[in-house]
Amino acid sequence: MLQIPTRQKTNGNVAQTKAVILVGGPSRGTRFRPLSLDVPKPLFDVAGHPIIWHCLQAVNKVPSIHEVYLVGYYDETVFRDFIKEAHHEFPNLKLQYLREYQALGTAGGLYHFRDAILRGHPDRFFVLNADVCCSFPLTQMLDLFDEKNADAVLLGTRVPNDVATNFGCIVLDPETKRVLHYVEKPESHISNLINCGVYLFSVECIFPSIRTAINRRIERPRLVSYPSSENLETTIIGDDEDAEKSEVLRLEQDILSDLADSRNFFVHETKDFWRQIKTAGSAVPANALYLQKAFQSHPEELTPPSANIIPPVFIHPTANVDPTAKLGPNVSIGARAHVGAGARVKESIVLEDAEIRHDACVLYSIIGWSSRVGSWARVEGTPTPVGSQTTSIIKNGVKVQAITILGKDCHVGDEVRVQNCVCLPYKELKRDVANEVIM
């Protein structure tokens, strides 16, 4: 039987809080290729640190959190080195990786590891999706949670009306901030306030809600083929046990709507930056957002501005950048990378051991590990509007990536121009190419 600790507030004691970071697994992240062919998406460097590091940094700023769980279905060895390094950088946090036996979904994974999460009788816990880029206002979410004595608080933000239906949409009471209605990717417009993928749950609310969703799925037959008036009698109904094994349980589709209908569910609306890191190209605008945040709060971590450094710019201490190269804004240079004389790099990520030779130009691009851009070559993408949630553009009636991406160990020849292309690893480009996927 599921034992849920009841919420207690005595003598002004600080309620115990934990955090869960959802990292997914290898079958997810296919949209992050070709970069995820060599490094799992949560460990890809953005603004000089792995994507998941930015989540952990935010969690570390909440004094009541001492335990953090990474939940996913990568092999245990994938995060071993990262966890060792994190123990040194965040000594106040106990970090543990919990591996799902298969993809269980955002709610299924939480329920599967409920015993670990409930150990020590926490009152509430955060849930963060690792592929979210934002300022993570966790303290403000906690304040709202305590003020309203809430069961759940969700982070929300406003987006343009024309893209809102691509996300989970929230209807709220503007005075109380209570969630009145929640629909995941509605067919028609209901609100431009969307789900940011960051949650704070009371343990006495979320696990019974997931249990209810599981029971509802077991009790209700699952249609394997959906009937029309012509084939209603021949519709196949899946076996309950098989259905439970084969289907995932997701917070967004299966849980949040019920919480909005029947629970004490509130939203904290952030006015700060937010975007998803879904595709490989989306790492470039995320890199820009995190660099700008670091420049405002911790500029000492970045390279000081100069005549040839337009901030914000991150250069790894082991990288070699010629003084005559011009970098920035929004550039990250990885470990042991080399940038030659007279090169120009703007709005880009240059990964470990990459080389940009003299007088080359790299704009709106990702230069993969050990890749080489020849002298006087030009590797460029196309800038997208500020605040846009997509990195795709239409060229000659065809949708292409706005960001140019070179996979691992790609070589661009001298004086070659590469524009709006995705290049898989170990390719050599000897001629100009545009708007292509090079396989």
Side-chain angles (χ1 to χ4, degrees):
M1 181 178 177
L2 179 63
Q3 299 292 325
I4 304 295
T6 56
R7 200 184 316 185
Q8 297 178 349
K9 296 182 180 179
T10 57
N11 302 325
N13 291 336
V14 176
Q16 185 180 354
T17 311
K18 292 188 178 184
V20 175
I21 302 175
L22 304 176
V23 298
S27 67
R28 299 288 185 259
T30 54
R31 286 183 288 175
F32 206 71
R33 292 175 181 168
L35 302 176
S36 58
L37 294 173
D38 295 285
V39 170
K41 183 168 72 168
L43 297 180
F44 181 79
D45 278 356
V46 169
H49 297 282
I51 291 172
I52 196 174
W53 180 92
H54 298 280
C55 302
L56 208 56
Q57 183 195 40
V59 167
N60 188 55
K61 294 179 180 178
V62 182
S64 60
I65 298 180
H66 301 290
E67 292 185 58
V68 182
Y69 301 105
L70 310 181
V71 175
Y73 53 101
Y74 288 102
D75 188 83
E76 287 89 345
T77 59
V78 167
F79 295 100
R80 185 177 297 162
D81 291 342
F82 174 79
I83 290 174
K84 287 180 181 178
E85 294 173 5
H87 281 152
H88 295 292
E89 190 167 0
F90 306 107
N92 295 327
L93 297 180
K94 179 184 176 182
L95 188 61
Q96 183 180 357
Y97 177 58
L98 304 176
R99 183 185 180 183
E100 302 170 11
Y101 61 93
Q102 65 178 40
L104 299 174
T106 49
L110 295 178
Y111 194 78
H112 183 69
F113 292 112
R114 61 193 181 277
D115 290 343
I117 296 171
L118 292 172
R119 192 178 299 125
H121 306 289
D123 299 274
R124 62 271 179 109
F125 64 98
F126 282 99
V127 177
L128 292 76
N129 283 284
D131 60 359
V132 165
C133 165
C134 70
S135 57
F136 296 106
L138 305 186
T139 302
Q140 293 93 316
M141 292 177 68
L142 269 174
D143 291 342
L144 180 62
F145 188 93
D146 291 335
E147 175 192 340
K148 302 292 186 180
N149 194 28
D151 288 328
V153 171
L154 174 153
L155 183 65
T157 192
R158 301 281 177 179
V159 298
N161 289 338
D162 59 340
V163 300
T165 53
N166 295 326
F167 306 93
C169 294
I170 307 160
V171 178
L172 86 159
D173 183 326
E175 293 186 4
T176 65
K177 300 182 181 178
R178 181 175 177 268
V179 177
L180 303 176
H181 189 49
Y182 180 87
V183 181
E184 182 66 20
K185 297 180 180 177
E187 294 183 0
S188 59
H189 177 77
I190 64 170
S191 170
N192 69 342
L193 180 63
I194 66 163
N195 175 8
C196 290
V198 180
Y199 313 96
L200 177 57
F201 293 121
S202 160
V203 296
E204 61 193 55
C205 155
I206 188 61
F207 291 118
S209 296
I210 298 175
R211 180 72 254 180
T212 298
I214 293 172
N215 291 337
R216 184 167 60 239
R217 177 168 292 178
I218 294 173
E219 293 165 2
R220 183 184 302 165
R222 184 176 69 98
L223 295 179
V224 175
S225 66
Y226 292 90
S228 66
S229 58
E230 290 83 11
N231 67 356
L232 184 60
E233 293 183 358
T234 60
T235 297
I236 303 171
I237 297 180
D239 178 78
D240 287 341
E241 185 176 351
D242 292 339
E244 188 177 7
K245 289 180 180 177
S246 63
E247 292 191 17
V248 298
L249 201 64
R250 296 161 293 188
L251 285 170
E252 300 80 7
Q253 285 88 344
D254 302 313
I255 307 299
L256 296 185
S257 293
D258 289 345
L259 287 179
D261 291 340
S262 60
R263 297 283 183 169
N264 207 17
F265 187 21
F266 296 86
V267 58
H268 172 74
E269 183 179 341
T270 179
K271 304 295 184 182
D272 211 343
F273 68 90
W274 177 87
R275 74 167 297 124
Q276 290 179 307
I277 308 176
K278 293 294 187 184
T279 64
S282 63
V284 168
N287 179 69
L289 292 170
Y290 277 138
L291 285 175
Q292 290 161 16
K293 176 190 172 189
F295 187 67
Q296 294 169 1
S297 57
H298 303 289
E300 66 279 1
E301 297 178 359
L302 304 179
T303 304
S306 68
N308 283 332
I309 299 293
I310 306 171
V313 171
F314 171 83
I315 301 176
H316 193 276
T318 62
N320 180 16
V321 178
D322 190 277
T324 63
K326 188 168 185 177
L327 275 58
N330 305 320
V331 168
S332 292
I333 307 294
R336 301 176 303 279
H338 175 80
V339 181
R344 177 71 173 107
V345 185
K346 174 182 177 182
E347 301 282 353
S348 296
I349 300 173
V350 180
L351 296 171
E352 295 179 3
D353 301 302
E355 179 184 7
I356 300 174
R357 293 189 170 177
H358 70 86
D359 298 296
C361 183
V362 175
L363 312 172
Y364 301 95
S365 300
I366 298 174
I367 308 301
W369 305 271
S370 302
S371 290
R372 185 179 73 237
V373 178
S375 57
W376 295 101
R378 187 177 182 93
V379 177
E380 63 179 323
T382 300
T384 54
V386 176
S388 172
Q389 293 296 326
T390 181
T391 54
S392 297
I393 58 172
I394 303 298
K395 288 278 190 177
N396 300 322
V398 178
K399 181 184 284 189
V400 297
Q401 270 291 325
I403 304 298
T404 289
I405 302 165
L406 302 184
K408 183 178 181 180
D409 204 11
C410 290
H411 294 174
V412 178
D414 295 347
E415 302 181 22
V416 170
R417 183 177 185 234
V418 181
Q419 183 181 29
N420 298 122
C421 289
V422 176
C423 184
L424 271 64
Y426 309 109
K427 304 299 178 187
E428 185 172 4
L429 306 180
K430 298 180 180 180
R431 60 175 178 83
D432 293 357
V433 61
N435 307 323
E436 291 188 20
V437 176
I438 302 160
M439 303 179 69

